[in-house]
Amino acid sequence: MKKGEKVLSFVKFEKELESAYRERLAAVKRPEETKEVFIEFVIKFLSRVNPAITKDHSDQIIFEPESEDGYRLSLQLEQILGKEVLTKSDLPAILKRMALSAAHRRKSLLSNTERTDLFRLQERPDQR
């Protein structure tokens, strides 16, 4: 984008969902649940950006916690959103922030699970 070029902003929608999203992520107990929460809230967010996007599009949002952006959208979903929204707005940055929050929570849960498993391995039956 060039300096002075107008940018579409969806921060208002992000702020409306932000606290509920963080609460739901904090309540997650298993690493695989972070994907479900991420997709649920991305759908809520995208449906505010474009009402044509519904829960039916859930399978077109891919949570990729190991990737740089943390997510990927299907080509069909990108077409529904439109090139302008994807290139001249803050939407990709918002989705990236959401994905990175979910990836961080997932990583935290995984490390806690590994510590618990390690503790269980070290525990011997005669010490109970």
Side-chain angles (χ1 to χ4, degrees), residues 62-77:
I62 298 95
F63 179 54
E64 296 179 329
E66 305 303 323
S67 72
E68 183 179 337
D69 289 336
Y71 76 98
R72 190 169 33 93
L73 302 176
S74 72
L75 292 175
Q76 181 183 4
L77 200 52

Side-chain angles (χ1 to χ4, degrees), residues 90-105:
D90 56 3
L91 184 131
I94 292 169
L95 293 178
K96 183 175 181 176
R97 283 194 295 269
M98 291 176 74
L100 294 178
S101 291
H104 178 72
R105 177 65 179 150

Side-chain angles (χ1 to χ4, degrees), residues 6 35 42 52 84 87 111:
K6 287 197 174 194
K35 173 185 174 183
V42 168
E84 185 177 3
T87 59
S111 67

Side-chain angles (χ1 to χ4, degrees), residues 11 18 21 30 39 44 58 69 71 78-79 85 116 119 121:
V11 172
E18 187 175 36
Y21 181 58
R30 295 179 303 162
I39 291 173
K44 287 180 182 181
S58 294
D69 289 336
Y71 76 98
E78 287 181 354
Q79 289 174 344
V85 169
T116 302
F119 178 75
L121 286 174

Side-chain angles (χ1 to χ4, degrees), residues 1-8 84 87-89:
M1 285 184 263
K2 297 176 186 170
K3 189 175 180 179
E5 187 176 352
K6 287 197 174 194
V7 176
L8 295 170
E84 185 177 3
T87 59
K88 297 182 180 180
S89 77

